[in-house]
Amino acid sequence: MTIDTDAAEQTAPPRSGFLSGAFDSDVHPNFRNGIRDLAPYVESTAMRKRMGLLDAPPGSAARVMRGDNVVQVPGAEMRLPGVNYTNPGGTMRLDAMPPDGGPPGSDPRFVVTDHLDRHDLGGALLIGGSVLGLGGIPEPEMAAAVASAHNLWLEDVWCREDPRFRIALVVPPQDPALAVAEVHRWGRNASVAAVYIPGTDNGMAFGHRHYHPIYEAALEYGLPVVTHPGGESSGTNSAMIAVGKPEYYLEFHTSIPQVYMRHLISLVVSGVFERFPTLRFGLIEAGWAWLPHVLWRLDKDWKGLRDECPWLRRPPSEYVLDHVRFTTQPIYEPPDPADLGTMMRLARADRCVMFSSDYPHWDADAPQMAYRRVPREMRRSLTHDLPSEFFRLS
């Protein structure tokens, strides 16, 4: 985590330099009023009722019928799943709180001034902070309704504020048919930059054929697919960690990259990139320093076991470098700053790692400070070239 809390930095005008025009691959918009922010965007009255989003007058003590109207108990709104572990310091940066005191990341105008303009960024991918646990909703239809409403909310509230905001279109992983319908609904919308599949504990990693229809739909519109932590231990999901159930937030949060190592290996070994040779897949906020170990071991084992997976025509590492992208945050801060460059070269970061900040989360990186240690020859690739190619930015 690299945070800049200096007052002068907070009020400084945009700086030109290597970040000018960069694309941030991970920014989290949050609700201001909880799930009630979605009420205008849930298209089915029956679903609004089930979510507890019908209007209720102050002081009503029960949900009753009055004529043809339903009176809603205040506070009876559906609660979206979130991680079931508690960070004692909270999960948001206090310096990202809007001037009026709303939740961090809830005011698009403030995010523009505090993040995009302050760092002279060219754009940002919006991965909804309130729907990271969507895969933990047990009912597919409910998950699909939340996803659809959230996508409408992003377009109406965020993209109208600034066209530099681009949508990671959230889809329900519980039901591929419902996910595909959402992709077709939005696929030609210029605000959409990626299809976002939240994590779900369905026993199937992303190489499983369960997800193939979503990949096909994304490819129809030339969109990449991304995923992001947040489904782990949310709602009905387990922690999805390899061994045992973590007891502390510290061990849970530190173990999250295990999940994405598994997804990566599944995508490659299952032959997803042979079946879909133009698919682009992003593991956002999943780490990247583990790549050398995983790719070296995967290539080594493939040489001796290639008869088991005859559809793999190349070493696994080549599929990863051609098709998969990772993101920088949280930037690694080794005791010897020079070691960061060594780690990035071993991971071939100039070919597969994109700039991200994770704004406004507790471990977000302040871009100007975090990138001071990145080798100069890699900066342009991470901040501009790879995101532009991956998200097909224009």
Side-chain angles (χ1 to χ4, degrees):
M1 172 179 64
T2 303
I3 293 179
D4 190 348
T5 57
D6 182 77
E9 174 71 15
Q10 294 290 325
T11 58
R15 307 174 185 179
S16 61
F18 65 88
L19 277 175
S20 180
F23 189 83
D24 187 341
S25 301
D26 188 19
V27 167
H28 297 293
N30 293 312
F31 294 146
R32 187 177 184 84
N33 305 293
I35 196 173
R36 293 200 66 83
D37 284 354
L38 292 188
Y41 307 101
V42 179
E43 297 174 336
S44 163
T45 301
M47 190 59 75
R48 284 202 304 276
K49 178 180 178 181
R50 292 180 58 198
M51 291 181 182
L53 296 179
L54 294 177
D55 290 334
S60 37
R63 181 187 300 174
V64 298
M65 293 295 297
R66 292 184 178 173
D68 294 329
N69 298 318
V70 177
V71 176
Q72 181 77 43
V73 177
E77 299 89 358
M78 169 191 178
R79 287 178 173 82
L80 290 173
V83 171
N84 294 319
Y85 289 86
T86 301
N87 182 328
T91 59
M92 300 292 169
R93 289 176 53 165
L94 292 179
D95 62 346
M97 185 178 293
D100 64 0
S106 64
D107 181 344
R109 172 45 40 192
F110 182 70
V111 175
V112 168
T113 58
D114 185 54
H115 187 58
L116 297 189
D117 289 349
R118 181 152 72 99
H119 301 295
D120 197 21
L121 301 180
L125 184 70
L126 299 178
I127 301 177
S130 302
V131 293
L132 297 175
L134 185 83
I137 297 176
E139 182 188 341
E141 291 79 11
M142 180 73 76
V146 171
S148 294
H150 186 272
N151 293 329
L152 287 167
W153 173 76
L154 282 181
E155 182 187 44
D156 188 43
V157 175
W158 288 79
C159 294
R160 290 182 188 276
E161 179 64 42
D162 195 305
R164 288 177 292 176
F165 288 132
R166 304 292 297 275
I167 295 172
L169 187 79
V170 63
V171 298
Q174 296 90 337
D175 188 323
L178 293 174
V180 166
E182 189 70 6
V183 174
H184 287 317
R185 184 184 186 190
W186 287 86
R188 301 194 189 283
N189 189 304
S191 297
V192 174
V195 174
Y196 164 41
I197 307 178
T200 189
D201 190 10
N202 60 8
M204 295 176 284
F206 283 130
H208 195 279
R209 66 196 65 187
H210 171 87
Y211 297 101
H212 288 186
I214 306 176
Y215 302 158
E216 290 175 342
L219 285 173
E220 183 174 338
Y221 302 99
L223 294 170
V225 174
V226 302
T227 192
H228 186 288
E232 300 81 12
S233 189
S234 289
T236 57
N237 289 344
S238 72
M240 296 189 266
I241 303 302
V243 180
K245 183 173 66 175
E247 295 179 333
Y248 303 99
Y249 183 89
L250 173 59
E251 57 178 320
F252 161 74
H253 194 264
T254 304
S255 301
I256 284 175
Q258 293 180 17
V259 179
Y260 298 91
M261 296 179 200
R262 174 71 188 100
H263 282 310
L264 179 67
I265 295 168
S266 172
L267 284 163
V268 175
V269 174
S270 297
V272 166
F273 301 118
E274 282 291 343
R275 184 181 181 93
F276 305 106
T278 60
L279 180 66
R280 311 183 309 279
F281 203 104
L283 300 178
I284 310 296
E285 203 182 327
W288 55 265
W290 46 265
L291 269 176
H293 159 72
V294 170
L295 296 188
W296 291 342
R297 186 178 181 94
L298 194 53
D299 280 354
K300 176 188 71 69
D301 286 352
W302 169 77
K303 291 175 182 176
L305 299 169
R306 68 182 75 188
D307 288 347
E308 184 186 23
C309 304
W311 47 84
L312 295 183
R313 304 178 185 183
R314 299 185 287 157
S317 60
E318 293 187 13
Y319 291 102
V320 173
L321 293 174
D322 286 347
H323 294 272
V324 186
R325 299 294 176 260
F326 307 84
T327 55
T328 54
Q329 189 280 334
I331 198 75
Y332 293 95
E333 300 177 277
D336 183 348
D339 287 342
L340 177 62
T342 301
M343 294 167 66
M344 298 189 89
R345 293 182 186 96
L346 289 172
R348 306 291 298 276
D350 59 327
R351 287 191 58 184
C352 64
V353 178
M354 306 184 296
F355 157 60
S356 66
S357 70
D358 193 33
Y359 182 98
H361 284 170
W362 67 282
D363 53 349
D365 288 332
Q368 293 287 353
M369 295 190 68
Y371 268 72
R372 291 173 186 170
R373 297 181 177 184
V374 173
R376 290 182 181 273
E377 69 272 15
M378 290 189 179
R379 290 177 182 174
R380 178 78 190 182
S381 176
L382 275 61
T383 57
H384 294 74
D385 298 342
L386 286 173
S388 180
E389 176 187 19
F390 185 76
F391 295 113
R392 300 283 171 85
L393 304 174
S394 59

